[in-house]
Amino acid sequence: GQNPSRSPLVADIRSLDYGPSDNDRRHVWNTVINYQIRGPHAGVLERVLGGWSVAPILTIQSGTPFTVLNGTDRDLDGSSIGDRADIGNKFAPFSSRGMVSTTCASGLADGLTGACTTRDQVRFVQVTSYNVNQTQGRNSQYTTRYLDLDTNFLKKIAITEGIKMEVRATLLNLTNNQNFDTPSAYTNLTTYGATTNFLNYSLANGGSRTMRLGAKVIF
């Protein structure tokens, strides 16, 4: 969904190609904690309650930018890669788009219902003819934020003075939060073929909670 600059070299629209880089993250927050839990230092209780520690890693980031694609070669360069759909009504629902139609008087049909529509009723507008007056800037759309909490639970057990065992449980995405990445070229095209999947972030699911268990001997 992140595409290169393809606007013609016309002075009054070069500003549409000035935008965020593909890897732009406006805000990045990382918190790393390694906490050794206090417990008994001797006896049977030490074997059970001592030697525990927890190490969470919290990552919070802004979304990544992307461009809604046009689905057709609007600049007539032989490729639809990089061709951007127009912005009709920026206050219309984010999933709405107008498709080129030869049967509607307005020249546009609703990408979801097929009913005739106009530019001021949809967010994105498909353009098939050569038109330098693009209205969508490069990488002007953003995905939702990214949040991930990974945690390690560790238990150290002293076997002898020089030999210890470490038991570890690693939980990835502890909160089971879904992170949605940049929509692929198959889900951000303004085409009829993607009526149910248009800008469907769930197709780029960041994964669910997973856990790994392990043990090692330290000597």
Side-chain angles (χ1 to χ4, degrees):
Q2 296 160 315
N3 59 292
S5 167
R6 288 298 179 95
S7 288
L9 297 179
V10 181
D12 58 347
I13 66 168
R14 288 179 187 174
S15 59
L16 291 175
D17 286 336
Y18 180 81
S21 65
D22 289 348
N23 59 351
D24 177 53
R25 293 277 192 179
R26 296 297 174 91
H27 307 94
V28 177
W29 177 288
N30 290 300
T31 299
V32 181
I33 299 174
N34 193 339
Y35 178 63
Q36 295 184 346
I37 302 174
R38 295 184 62 182
H41 296 286
V44 177
L45 290 179
E46 188 273 336
R47 293 284 183 178
V48 178
L49 302 178
W52 286 95
S53 62
V54 60
I57 302 175
L58 175 64
T59 302
I60 304 175
Q61 297 179 347
S62 301
T64 55
F66 69 98
T67 309
V68 174
L69 304 180
N70 191 52
T72 61
D73 179 19
R74 69 177 296 179
D75 59 5
L76 305 180
D77 66 349
S79 172
S80 62
I81 298 176
D83 292 274
R84 302 193 289 263
D86 275 358
I87 299 293
N89 180 358
K90 64 180 180 180
F91 301 108
F94 196 68
S95 61
S96 62
R97 70 271 190 201
M99 315 301 303
V100 172
S101 172
T102 58
T103 59
C104 294
S106 63
L108 293 174
D110 188 283
L112 284 175
T113 65
C116 295
T117 188
T118 58
R119 289 180 67 99
D120 60 353
Q121 293 178 315
V122 294
R123 175 72 70 94
F124 300 103
V125 180
Q126 185 186 51
V127 181
T128 58
S129 60
Y130 182 77
N131 188 340
V132 298
N133 297 315
Q134 299 186 56
T135 58
Q136 181 187 183
R138 178 180 179 272
N139 280 346
S140 60
Q141 317 299 321
Y142 275 85
T143 63
T144 56
R145 59 94 184 98
Y146 176 89
L147 185 148
D148 182 67
L149 176 61
D150 302 328
T151 305
N152 283 321
F153 294 95
L154 300 97
K155 163 70 173 172
K156 289 185 177 181
I157 305 171
I159 300 176
T160 66
E161 183 177 356
I163 301 177
K164 295 181 176 62
M165 173 173 283
E166 180 184 275
V167 180
R168 175 192 298 261
T170 301
L171 282 80
L172 304 176
N173 194 8
L174 177 63
T175 59
N176 203 30
N177 179 70
Q178 290 184 321
N179 294 300
F180 305 124
D181 202 354
T182 305
S184 68
Y186 298 102
T187 60
N188 71 352
L189 291 173
T190 51
T191 60
Y192 281 115
T195 54
T196 58
N197 294 330
F198 179 68
L199 296 184
N200 187 349
Y201 292 105
S202 64
L203 296 181
N205 188 349
S208 57
R209 182 193 302 117
T210 58
M211 182 175 68
R212 295 191 300 234
L213 299 176
K216 63 181 178 180
V217 176
I218 303 173
F219 58 92

